[in-house]
Amino acid sequence: MNSTRFLYSNGVVSYSDVPPVATFLESLPGAYTTTRTHENGTTLLFWERHLKRLSSSARILVNSSPHLIFKANKINPSFSPPVSIISSLKWETRIRSLVSNSLNHVLPIALEERSNGEELAVTALVSGDLEKLKAMENVANYDDGVFQFFDVHLHIGSYVPPVFGIEENGAHLALVGRGRDFSDAKYSDWVRLRKPLEKLRPHSVTELLLSNDGDRILEGCITNFFVICQMDKSGAEGQYLNDYDNAYSVEVQTAPISDGVLPGVIRQLVIEICHIKGIPVREVAPSWEKHQLWEEAFVTNSLRVLQHVETIKVPHPWESLESKCLEGISWIEKKFQGPGIMTKIIQKEMMERASREGHWLKESV
C-alpha cells in the first residue's frame, strides 16, 4: 500500500493529503480507539471490545468532560448534556452502529489497496459537533436525537506488526513524567498533552513511562506496563485476582485502573489470560524500589499487542526531571534477557484469543 492512508469523515472518503494518525487526532477532539487487522487482513483484532470501550469513552466524556469531545473554542461554560444523553439505553448500540456503518464504507477500499502481507491500523474517532447540538430542539423527545450531533471519523493506514521475541523488536523504556490527570476514557487530546515528555526521551528509547512519585510505575504513554516479579507475599494477602494455590514463584503486576491508568483492551485480556492459566496476578503498580525482583517485563497496546521489554531507564534522582532538560538527567538502567517464559506463555495465549475473537471482515464489509 506504500504507506497510503485513508480517511472517512461524515460520508466522504479521502485518499490524498491524509495526515499521519497522530496529526489527525490532534486536529479533532473526541473519544477514540485504535486496533488493526490480523491474519493478512482477514479480521479486526478484538473489535467488539474496542467498540464497547469507544462507546464507554464517548459517554464518559459527554457526562463529565464535554470539552474533550466538543471543540474547546466553541464550548459554552454553562453547557451540560441533556439527561437523555446520559441515560439513553440505546447508547452503546447506536455508537456501534455509527462506527460500523462508517467502517463498512472505507475498509473495503483500504483492503483492496493494501499490499499482500500488510496489515491495516484502524483508528475510529467519535467527535461532538456543538453547533448541531445547539440547532436541535427538545433533544430528549427524539428517540435517536442524542446521536445526531456526533461526527464519526475513521483513519486507516498500513501497519507491519513486529515479530514477537526477536531482540531488536523489544521495547526500551524510560520513566519521564507524571500520570494522566484523566484516564477514565481514551480521548484524542492526550496526543497533545503528552508531547512535552518527548523532550526527555533518551536515545533509542521506544516508549515513555509515567509515575506520580518516581517509584510506582503506572503505564506508558501509549501502552500498559506489566512486570513478572518474584513473589513477595508481604502485604499481598488477599490481593490476588484468582484463587489458585500458588504453583508459581512469580506473579504478574500491573497498576490498577484506580491509580489513573487507561483501561486498555489488551491489558484486560492479559488479566483474563492469567486467571485462566492460573498465573498469580495483582493489580498493583510495580515498584521500582523492588526492581531487583523483576524477572521479565512487557508492554501492551492494540497495535503491538504484547511486546517484551529489553531495558528500563529511571532518572536518579526523580526530581531531576524538573529541569526539563535531557542533558541534566542521570539514569539507572534495568536490563532483561529477551522475552522470558511467562511472557511467552501469555503472548501465545493472547494470539490464540486474537484468532478466536477476531471480527471476520469478509462477511461484514
Side-chain angles (χ1 to χ4, degrees):
M1 204 163 82
N2 298 322
S3 299
T4 300
R5 305 184 188 101
F6 297 85
L7 181 63
Y8 182 87
S9 296
N10 296 328
V12 178
V13 180
S14 300
Y15 305 85
S16 60
D17 299 322
V18 176
V21 67
T23 304
F24 159 68
L25 288 173
E26 275 192 275
S27 69
L28 289 167
Y32 81 99
T33 193
T34 296
T35 187
R36 65 171 172 86
T37 61
H38 180 52
E39 297 178 330
N40 197 22
T42 59
T43 62
L44 273 177
L45 278 177
F46 307 114
W47 183 236
E48 294 302 314
R49 292 176 183 255
H50 279 281
L51 283 176
K52 185 173 182 178
R53 202 262 304 271
L54 177 60
S55 173
S56 175
S57 292
R59 187 171 183 173
I60 289 170
L61 293 180
V62 169
N63 288 351
S64 62
S65 301
H67 64 286
L68 293 175
I69 196 167
F70 293 97
K71 290 184 179 180
N73 62 349
K74 294 184 178 181
I75 282 292
N76 182 336
S78 63
F79 168 77
S80 60
V83 174
S84 58
I85 295 177
I86 299 172
S87 61
S88 173
L89 297 177
K90 291 189 174 183
W91 182 270
E92 182 175 335
T93 300
R94 293 293 290 125
I95 290 292
R96 292 164 66 94
S97 177
L98 288 171
V99 175
S100 295
N101 288 342
S102 297
L103 187 72
N104 290 340
H105 280 89
V106 67
L107 193 55
I109 300 171
L111 286 169
E112 183 70 24
E113 293 295 325
R114 75 183 181 94
S115 299
N116 188 48
E118 263 185 348
E119 302 295 352
L120 298 174
V122 178
T123 296
L125 174 73
V126 176
S127 183
D129 188 326
L130 190 60
E131 298 306 312
K132 289 182 181 179
L133 177 61
K134 289 179 178 178
M136 296 174 63
E137 296 181 0
N138 300 320
V139 173
N141 294 330
Y142 291 96
D143 191 30
D144 293 322
V146 296
F147 303 99
Q148 295 178 17
F149 57 82
F150 281 129
D151 294 326
V152 175
H153 310 270
L154 277 167
H155 184 287
I156 299 178
S158 58
Y159 181 75
V160 179
V163 178
F164 175 78
I166 298 176
E167 183 175 346
E168 55 265 30
N169 286 343
H172 297 271
L173 315 179
L175 184 61
V176 300
R178 296 182 61 82
R180 307 168 191 250
D181 290 330
F182 185 79
S183 62
D184 294 345
K186 191 176 179 73
Y187 58 94
S188 58
D189 199 43
W190 174 243
V191 176
R192 178 188 62 82
L193 293 173
R194 71 179 187 238
K195 265 189 170 183
L197 299 178
E198 290 295 329
K199 297 178 182 179
L200 302 177
R201 182 190 291 269
H203 176 69
S204 78
V205 162
T206 59
E207 169 65 322
L208 303 177
L209 295 175
L210 307 174
S211 171
N212 289 329
D213 59 8
D215 175 44
R216 294 172 296 171
I217 299 179
L218 301 174
E219 61 182 339
C221 281
I222 58 172
T223 61
N224 287 111
F225 174 70
F226 296 78
V227 299
I228 312 296
C229 186
Q230 293 176 29
M231 191 70 73
D232 179 10
K233 291 188 177 181
S234 61
E237 196 70 28
Q239 295 185 33
Y240 295 105
L241 301 184
N242 55 42
D243 298 322
Y244 295 95
D245 292 332
N246 186 11
Y248 297 92
S249 60
V250 296
E251 65 181 11
V252 177
Q253 295 181 355
T254 192
I257 299 301
S258 59
D259 275 3
V261 304
L262 186 74
V265 167
I266 307 299
R267 175 191 180 277
Q268 180 58 36
L269 279 161
V270 170
I271 291 173
E272 291 176 14
I273 287 169
C274 288
H275 181 81
I276 291 169
K277 304 295 287 187
I279 299 170
V281 55
R282 269 202 300 155
E283 288 190 272
V284 58
S287 170
W288 177 253
E289 289 185 358
K290 298 182 179 180
H291 72 268
Q292 70 278 4
L293 299 177
W294 298 357
E295 296 187 356
E296 308 169 37
F298 60 87
V299 291
T300 61
N301 73 9
S302 294
L303 292 183
R304 305 174 192 179
V305 184
L306 189 150
Q307 182 182 31
H308 77 276
V309 172
E310 291 282 342
T311 61
I312 302 176
K313 296 177 184 290
V314 170
H316 181 73
W318 166 249
E319 291 73 19
S320 63
L321 290 178
E322 296 176 4
S323 68
K324 310 294 184 183
C325 177
L326 180 60
E327 291 72 18
I329 301 173
S330 297
W331 303 91
I332 300 174
E333 186 175 73
K334 168 82 174 180
K335 294 183 178 181
F336 300 91
Q337 298 301 315
I341 294 174
M342 297 296 292
T343 300
K344 290 178 180 177
I345 290 173
I346 295 170
Q347 192 272 345
K348 181 176 183 293
E349 180 66 23
M350 181 70 70
M351 299 318 294
E352 291 176 359
R353 291 284 291 272
S355 297
R356 294 197 300 270
E357 289 193 33
H359 179 74
W360 183 248
L361 295 175
K362 299 299 183 183
E363 297 176 351
S364 59
V365 299

